[in-house]
Coordinates of all heavy atoms in Angstrom, one line a residue:
Chain B
L45 N -4.5 -6.8 0.4 CA -3.8 -7.2 1.6 C -3.8 -8.7 1.7 O -4.8 -9.4 1.7 CB -4.6 -6.6 2.8 CG -4.1 -7.0 4.2 CD1 -2.7 -6.4 4.4 CD2 -5.0 -6.5 5.3
L46 N -2.6 -9.3 1.8 CA -2.4 -10.7 2.0 C -2.4 -11.2 3.4 O -3.2 -12.1 3.8 CB -1.1 -11.2 1.4 CG -1.0 -11.5 -0.1 CD1 0.4 -12.0 -0.4 CD2 -2.0 -12.5 -0.5
T47 N -1.6 -10.5 4.2 CA -1.5 -10.9 5.6 C -0.7 -9.8 6.3 O -0.1 -8.9 5.7 CB -0.8 -12.3 5.8 OG1 -0.8 -12.7 7.1 CG2 0.6 -12.2 5.3
Y48 N -0.7 -9.8 7.6 CA 0.0 -8.9 8.4 C 0.4 -9.6 9.7 O -0.1 -10.6 10.1 CB -0.8 -7.6 8.7 CG -2.1 -7.9 9.4 CD1 -2.1 -7.9 10.8 CD2 -3.3 -8.2 8.7 CE1 -3.3 -8.1 11.5 CE2 -4.4 -8.4 9.4 CZ -4.5 -8.4 10.8 OH -5.7 -8.7 11.4
I49 N 1.4 -9.0 10.4 CA 1.9 -9.5 11.6 C 2.1 -8.4 12.6 O 2.6 -7.3 12.2 CB 3.1 -10.4 11.4 CG1 3.5 -11.2 12.7 CG2 4.3 -9.6 10.9 CD1 4.5 -12.3 12.4
F50 N 1.7 -8.6 13.8 CA 2.0 -7.6 14.9 C 3.5 -7.8 15.3 O 4.0 -8.9 15.3 CB 1.1 -7.7 16.0 CG -0.4 -7.6 15.7 CD1 -1.3 -8.5 16.2 CD2 -0.8 -6.6 14.8 CE1 -2.6 -8.4 15.9 CE2 -2.1 -6.5 14.5 CZ -3.0 -7.4 15.0
S51 N 4.1 -6.7 15.8 CA 5.5 -6.8 16.1 C 5.8 -7.6 17.4 O 6.9 -8.0 17.7 CB 6.0 -5.4 16.3 OG 5.3 -4.7 17.3
N52 N 4.7 -8.0 18.1 CA 4.9 -8.9 19.3 C 4.8 -10.3 18.9 O 4.7 -11.2 19.8 CB 4.0 -8.5 20.4 CG 2.5 -8.7 20.0 OD1 2.2 -9.0 18.9 ND2 1.6 -8.4 20.9
M53 N 4.7 -10.7 17.6 CA 4.6 -12.0 17.2 C 5.9 -12.4 16.4 O 6.6 -11.6 15.9 CB 3.4 -12.2 16.2 CG 2.1 -11.9 16.9 SD 0.7 -11.8 15.7 CE 0.6 -13.4 15.1
D54 N 6.2 -13.7 16.4 CA 7.3 -14.2 15.7 C 6.9 -14.9 14.3 O 7.6 -14.9 13.4 CB 8.1 -15.3 16.5 CG 8.6 -14.7 17.7 OD1 9.1 -13.5 17.6 OD2 8.7 -15.4 18.7
M55 N 5.7 -15.4 14.3 CA 5.2 -16.2 13.2 C 3.7 -16.1 13.1 O 3.0 -16.0 14.1 CB 5.6 -17.7 13.3 CG 5.3 -18.5 12.1 SD 5.7 -20.2 12.4 CE 4.2 -20.9 13.0
K56 N 3.3 -16.1 11.8 CA 1.8 -16.2 11.6 C 1.6 -17.1 10.4 O 2.3 -16.9 9.4 CB 1.3 -14.8 11.3 CG -0.2 -14.8 11.1 CD -0.7 -13.4 10.9 CE -2.2 -13.3 10.7 NZ -2.7 -12.0 10.4
Q57 N 0.6 -18.0 10.5 CA 0.4 -18.9 9.4 C -1.1 -18.7 9.0 O -2.0 -18.6 9.8 CB 0.6 -20.3 9.8 CG 0.5 -21.3 8.6 CD 1.5 -22.5 8.8 OE1 2.1 -22.7 9.8 NE2 1.5 -23.4 7.8
D58 N -1.3 -18.7 7.7 CA -2.6 -18.5 7.1 C -2.7 -19.3 5.8 O -2.3 -18.9 4.8 CB -2.9 -17.0 6.9 CG -4.3 -16.8 6.4 OD1 -5.1 -17.7 6.3 OD2 -4.7 -15.6 6.1
Q59 N -3.2 -20.5 5.9 CA -3.3 -21.4 4.8 C -1.9 -21.6 4.2 O -1.0 -22.1 4.8 CB -4.3 -20.9 3.8 CG -5.7 -20.8 4.4 CD -6.8 -20.4 3.4 OE1 -6.5 -19.7 2.5 NE2 -8.0 -20.9 3.6
R60 N -1.7 -21.3 2.9 CA -0.4 -21.5 2.3 C 0.6 -20.5 2.6 O 1.8 -20.6 2.2 CB -0.6 -21.5 0.7 CG -1.4 -22.7 0.2 CD -1.3 -22.8 -1.3 NE -1.8 -21.7 -2.0 CZ -1.2 -20.9 -2.8 NH1 0.1 -21.2 -3.1 NH2 -1.8 -19.9 -3.4
L61 N 0.2 -19.4 3.4 CA 1.2 -18.3 3.7 C 1.7 -18.5 5.1 O 1.0 -18.7 6.0 CB 0.4 -17.0 3.6 CG -0.3 -16.7 2.2 CD1 -1.0 -15.3 2.3 CD2 0.7 -16.7 1.1
T62 N 3.0 -18.3 5.2 CA 3.7 -18.2 6.5 C 4.5 -17.0 6.6 O 5.3 -16.8 5.7 CB 4.6 -19.5 6.8 OG1 3.8 -20.7 6.6 CG2 5.2 -19.4 8.2
V63 N 4.3 -16.2 7.6 CA 5.1 -15.0 7.8 C 6.0 -15.2 9.0 O 5.6 -15.7 10.1 CB 4.2 -13.8 8.1 CG1 5.1 -12.5 8.3 CG2 3.3 -13.5 6.9
L64 N 7.3 -14.9 8.8 CA 8.2 -15.0 9.9 C 8.8 -13.6 10.2 O 9.2 -12.9 9.3 CB 9.4 -16.0 9.6 CG 9.0 -17.5 9.4 CD1 10.2 -18.3 9.0 CD2 8.4 -18.0 10.7
L65 N 8.9 -13.3 11.5 CA 9.4 -12.0 11.9 C 10.6 -12.2 12.8 O 10.4 -12.8 13.9 CB 8.3 -11.1 12.5 CG 8.8 -9.8 13.1 CD1 9.4 -8.9 12.0 CD2 7.6 -9.1 13.8
N66 N 11.7 -11.6 12.5 CA 12.9 -11.6 13.3 C 13.2 -10.2 13.7 O 13.7 -9.4 12.9 CB 14.1 -12.2 12.6 CG 15.4 -12.2 13.4 OD1 15.6 -11.4 14.3 ND2 16.2 -13.2 13.2
K67 N 12.7 -9.8 14.9 CA 12.8 -8.4 15.3 C 14.2 -8.0 15.6 O 14.5 -6.8 15.3 CB 11.9 -8.2 16.6 CG 10.4 -8.3 16.4 CD 9.7 -8.0 17.6 CE 9.7 -9.1 18.6 NZ 9.0 -10.3 18.1
K68 N 15.0 -8.9 16.0 CA 16.4 -8.5 16.3 C 17.1 -8.1 15.0 O 17.8 -7.0 15.0 CB 17.1 -9.7 16.9 CG 18.6 -9.5 17.2 CD 19.2 -10.7 17.9 CE 20.7 -10.8 17.9 NZ 21.2 -11.0 16.6
D69 N 16.9 -8.8 13.9 CA 17.5 -8.5 12.7 C 16.7 -7.6 11.8 O 17.1 -7.2 10.7 CB 17.9 -9.8 11.9 CG 18.9 -10.6 12.6 OD1 19.6 -10.1 13.4 OD2 18.9 -11.8 12.4
K70 N 15.5 -7.3 12.3 CA 14.5 -6.5 11.5 C 14.3 -7.1 10.1 O 14.4 -6.5 9.1 CB 15.0 -5.0 11.4 CG 15.0 -4.3 12.7 CD 15.5 -2.9 12.6 CE 15.8 -2.3 13.9 NZ 16.5 -1.0 13.9
H71 N 14.0 -8.4 10.1 CA 13.8 -9.1 8.9 C 12.5 -9.8 8.9 O 12.0 -10.4 9.9 CB 14.9 -10.2 8.8 CG 14.9 -11.0 7.6 ND1 14.2 -12.3 7.5 CD2 15.3 -10.8 6.3 CE1 14.3 -12.7 6.3 NE2 15.0 -11.9 5.6
L72 N 11.8 -9.7 7.8 CA 10.4 -10.3 7.6 C 10.5 -11.1 6.4 O 11.1 -10.8 5.4 CB 9.4 -9.1 7.4 CG 7.9 -9.5 7.3 CD1 7.4 -9.9 8.6 CD2 7.2 -8.3 6.7
S73 N 9.8 -12.3 6.5 CA 9.7 -13.1 5.3 C 8.3 -13.6 5.1 O 7.6 -13.8 6.0 CB 10.7 -14.3 5.3 OG 10.3 -15.2 6.3
L74 N 8.0 -13.9 3.8 CA 6.7 -14.4 3.4 C 7.0 -15.7 2.6 O 7.7 -15.7 1.6 CB 5.9 -13.5 2.5 CG 4.7 -14.0 1.9 CD1 3.6 -14.2 3.0 CD2 4.1 -13.1 0.8
R75 N 6.5 -16.8 3.2 CA 6.7 -18.1 2.5 C 5.3 -18.5 1.9 O 4.3 -18.5 2.6 CB 7.2 -19.2 3.5 CG 7.3 -20.6 2.8 CD 7.9 -21.5 3.8 NE 8.1 -22.9 3.3 CZ 7.2 -23.8 3.3 NH1 6.0 -23.6 3.9 NH2 7.4 -25.0 2.8
I76 N 5.3 -18.8 0.6 CA 4.1 -19.3 -0.1 C 4.4 -20.8 -0.4 O 5.3 -21.1 -1.2 CB 3.8 -18.5 -1.4 CG1 3.8 -17.0 -1.1 CG2 2.5 -19.0 -2.0 CD1 3.7 -16.2 -2.3
A77 N 3.6 -21.7 0.2 CA 3.8 -23.1 0.0 C 3.0 -23.5 -1.3 O 2.0 -22.8 -1.7 CB 3.2 -23.9 1.2
D78 N 3.6 -24.5 -2.0 CA 2.9 -25.0 -3.2 C 2.5 -23.9 -4.1 O 1.3 -23.7 -4.5 CB 1.6 -25.8 -2.8 CG 1.0 -26.5 -3.9 OD1 1.7 -26.8 -4.9 OD2 -0.2 -26.8 -3.8
T79 N 3.5 -23.2 -4.5 CA 3.3 -22.0 -5.4 C 2.6 -22.3 -6.7 O 3.0 -23.3 -7.4 CB 4.6 -21.2 -5.6 OG1 5.3 -21.1 -4.4 CG2 4.4 -19.8 -6.2
Q80 N 1.6 -21.5 -7.0 CA 0.8 -21.8 -8.3 C 1.1 -20.6 -9.2 O 1.5 -19.5 -8.9 CB -0.7 -21.9 -7.9 CG -1.0 -23.0 -6.9 CD -0.6 -24.3 -7.5 OE1 -1.1 -24.7 -8.6 NE2 0.1 -25.1 -6.7
T81 N 0.7 -20.8 -10.5 CA 0.9 -19.8 -11.5 C 0.1 -18.5 -11.1 O 0.5 -17.4 -11.4 CB 0.5 -20.3 -12.9 OG1 -0.8 -20.8 -12.9 CG2 1.5 -21.3 -13.4
G82 N -1.0 -18.7 -10.5 CA -1.9 -17.6 -10.0 C -1.2 -16.8 -8.9 O -1.7 -15.7 -8.6

Side-chain angles (χ1 to χ4, degrees):
Chain B
L45 177 65
L46 272 185
T47 187
Y48 59 90
I49 189 167
F50 301 135
S51 58
N52 61 358
M53 297 168 66
D54 297 322
M55 186 183 91
K56 181 178 180 181
Q57 189 149 3
D58 184 0
Q59 300 183 329
R60 291 190 299 124
L61 304 178
T62 303
V63 178
L64 294 177
L65 175 60
N66 181 328
K67 289 184 285 294
K68 175 174 165 292
D69 295 338
K70 297 181 190 169
H71 181 265
L72 183 73
S73 68
L74 173 69
R75 178 176 180 269
I76 306 173
D78 187 24
T79 312
Q80 302 298 307
T81 54

